[in-house]
Amino acid sequence: MTQEELALFNEFFAQRFGLFFPDHKREILESRLVPRLRALHLQRFLDYYLLLQYDLAREIEALTRAITNNESYFFRETGQFDALVDHLNAAHDTGARWSDPRVLSAGCSSGEEAYSLNIALRERVANDRLGGLRIDGVDLDSERVEMARIGAYRRMSLRALDDERIRRYFEIQGDERFVLRPQHRLDVQFRSGNILDESLARYGQYDVVFCRNVLIYFSEAALKRAIENFATVVRPGGLLFLGHSESIIGLTSLFRAERLGQTIAYRRVEP
């Protein structure tokens, strides 16, 4: 991929998805697009760029799957789950409990994070403290959203779980099909959506939003838009959790960094 082709793709991706691939990530972008070139019998990255300009509707689903980061597995980076569990329990003990907490997994991929949150909260926070817990997942890739709704996974998605927990949470259907048990899917819903789109706020406000390892690929302008959108969906006093390599410190006055246990969360500032 030439420098000119990289610049063209970055302009297009930033406008459409908010994504940006700096020069040191050029090889990552190449590796994600090469299968599409082969499938479409194209010789150059420029040919694929031109196809996107004239026939995006036909290619949009495959393009979205190619360039978004769908790496996910159950109980990934559980320190943030621990912090949230402790925070909810402590809030209840001080009389500041959240009534019917709502949680959003933004960039949910195929649902591993949303379901892990549901399991962790229901196992470690008493039912009378959770009330009517509801967890929503939203992702740009509609194919991944459908996978999340089905709730069937391969062993790689379970690599952080031991055999006992796999048997507890999943119905095992052969060596490579594990279906999440119905009780762990209660009150978890998924939909297609873009965290850069204002329609993210269509479903109301949330007490907690997880958006991990998504913003790292965003352009500066897209990052600012995402922060503004999160400010509309995180209720005042609510929490935003990002990936460990991501930070919005110094970028906004809408959130305040706060240490929770061994991790950093961002508290929505009261307007």
Side-chain angles (χ1 to χ4, degrees), residues 24-251:
H24 69 274
K25 293 185 178 178
R26 188 188 314 194
E27 291 185 1
I28 294 177
L29 179 59
E30 289 177 349
S31 67
R32 294 182 180 181
L33 295 185
V34 161
R36 295 308 305 152
L37 268 67
R38 291 174 179 166
L40 296 167
H41 306 290
L42 300 175
Q43 298 297 316
R44 302 176 302 167
F45 289 102
L46 181 60
D47 296 330
Y48 186 58
Y49 172 80
L50 294 174
L51 180 147
L52 296 177
Q53 303 307 303
Y54 295 105
D55 200 6
L56 178 61
R58 187 178 68 176
E59 183 62 15
I60 186 66
E61 291 291 338
L63 173 65
T64 300
R65 289 193 295 273
I67 64 173
T68 53
N69 180 17
N70 288 315
E71 169 67 15
S72 187
Y73 55 89
F74 279 83
F75 290 92
R76 181 183 186 185
E77 298 178 3
T78 55
Q80 293 176 320
F81 297 175
D82 297 339
L84 179 58
V85 166
D86 292 344
H87 180 75
L88 288 173
N89 283 325
H92 184 277
D93 292 340
T94 61
R97 68 179 294 272
W98 293 341
S99 176
D100 302 331
R102 300 186 68 211
V103 181
L104 174 66
S105 173
C108 67
S109 187
S110 44
E112 291 91 336
E113 178 181 79
Y115 286 133
S116 296
L117 280 164
N118 193 42
I119 293 170
L121 293 175
R122 293 188 184 280
E123 283 190 341
R124 299 173 56 192
V125 181
N127 287 338
D128 64 334
R129 298 184 175 192
L130 283 178
L133 172 68
R134 172 182 161 185
I135 298 177
D136 292 344
V138 61
D139 197 88
L140 193 63
D141 187 339
S142 59
E143 184 176 89
R144 289 279 169 170
V145 168
E146 185 58 29
M147 291 172 62
R149 289 172 178 153
I150 294 170
Y153 298 91
R154 299 175 68 85
R155 187 172 290 275
M156 276 297 290
S157 292
L158 282 56
R159 58 186 181 269
L161 300 176
D162 59 28
D163 289 343
E164 189 278 327
R165 295 181 82 193
I166 290 175
R167 289 191 297 269
R168 190 195 317 167
Y169 302 145
F170 296 88
E171 298 173 1
I172 303 174
Q173 301 177 354
D175 292 337
E176 282 296 335
R177 182 175 170 84
F178 302 84
V179 180
L180 192 65
R181 296 184 183 277
Q183 63 266 33
H184 302 307
R185 298 163 62 179
L186 292 175
D187 299 314
V188 183
Q189 303 178 35
F190 299 94
R191 67 180 187 271
S192 299
N194 189 338
I195 64 175
L196 297 180
D197 190 65
E198 293 180 356
S199 64
L200 188 68
R202 182 183 304 161
Y203 297 87
Q205 291 188 311
Y206 293 87
D207 300 286
V208 182
V209 171
F210 277 77
C211 184
R212 306 190 297 178
N213 307 306
V214 175
L215 304 183
I216 192 172
Y217 293 101
F218 277 20
S219 66
E220 183 178 348
L223 178 58
K224 292 179 180 178
R225 283 172 56 194
I227 294 171
E228 291 173 358
N229 277 354
F230 286 140
T232 66
V233 300
V234 179
R235 70 163 182 79
L239 297 170
L240 170 65
F241 289 91
L242 304 178
H244 292 306
S245 60
E246 300 167 320
S247 173
I248 59 173
I249 295 175
L251 297 179

